[in-house]
Amino acid sequence: MQNSYLTPYHIVDFSPVYAQQVSELYHMAIQHIRHPRYPQAKLDAWSSSPRSSKFWQLKYQRNRAWLAVDSTQQVIGFISVETHFKQQGYIDCLYVAPAWQHQGIARALYLQLQAWVQQQRYPVLSVDASYLSKGLFEQHGFVLKQVSYQHKLGQTFNGFYMQKTLINNLVTGH
């Protein structure tokens, strides 16, 4: 957990009471992307409106998620990792509210996830990184395995399937 005296936020485990905020943050973060690779048609295919609270509650019954929460208990970022099946260790979400981006929140969330994964002794972490998140994962030792493509509502999303091997089940900070 972040020391609230040093940062204006702290990291907590996902709780169903935050599901609506997670839904709104996810949608808002996507709709505020301003990048040539993401025209409005792609943003709308990615998230045309917030998903239901129930969607996030069910998703995080199966997976592990952490939230960055500000001093007013508003969710300002979140990250999650698959904990079951063959996708164990797959980071499936990492989003930060637009007003809070570029302040180290994504890194803090990733480091929280990494510490938990180390305790679980997962052998590998993987992620389908976007153009926007690829650099963060590279900074933390992820290696590109292949370019990935996802299709949704007539739009093609290019991504980067990346992995990080956790040598001897120890996770390093890079």
Side-chain angles (χ1 to χ4, degrees), residues 57-103:
Q57 290 170 358
L58 292 173
K59 181 178 186 71
Y60 294 141
Q61 282 178 355
R62 298 183 314 268
N63 301 329
R64 193 62 203 260
W66 295 268
L67 313 173
V69 180
D70 72 10
S71 60
T72 66
Q73 298 303 302
Q74 291 298 302
V75 176
I76 59 173
F78 70 100
I79 192 169
S80 63
V81 63
E82 293 277 343
T83 58
H84 299 290
F85 313 114
K86 65 180 180 155
Q87 295 284 12
Q88 185 176 16
Y90 177 80
I91 300 169
D92 74 339
C93 282
L94 174 56
Y95 292 91
V96 175
W100 288 86
Q101 292 176 1
H102 308 292
Q103 296 183 41

Side-chain angles (χ1 to χ4, degrees), residues 5-21:
Y5 296 108
L6 300 176
T7 59
Y9 65 92
H10 58 284
I11 296 177
V12 299
D13 289 336
F14 174 82
S15 167
V17 300
Y18 290 111
Q20 186 62 40
Q21 287 189 54

Side-chain angles (χ1 to χ4, degrees), residues 113-131:
L113 179 146
Q114 176 178 271
W116 184 83
V117 165
Q118 180 179 6
Q119 292 173 349
Q120 304 308 306
R121 301 191 179 274
Y122 285 10
V124 175
L125 275 174
S126 61
V127 66
D128 275 298
S130 68
Y131 284 101

Side-chain angles (χ1 to χ4, degrees), residues 7 25 42 44 58 83 104 109 111 116 146 160 164:
T7 59
L25 185 147
K42 278 194 180 186
D44 291 342
L58 292 173
T83 58
L109 286 164
L111 292 174
W116 184 83
Q146 67 186 38
F160 304 94
K164 179 178 181 174

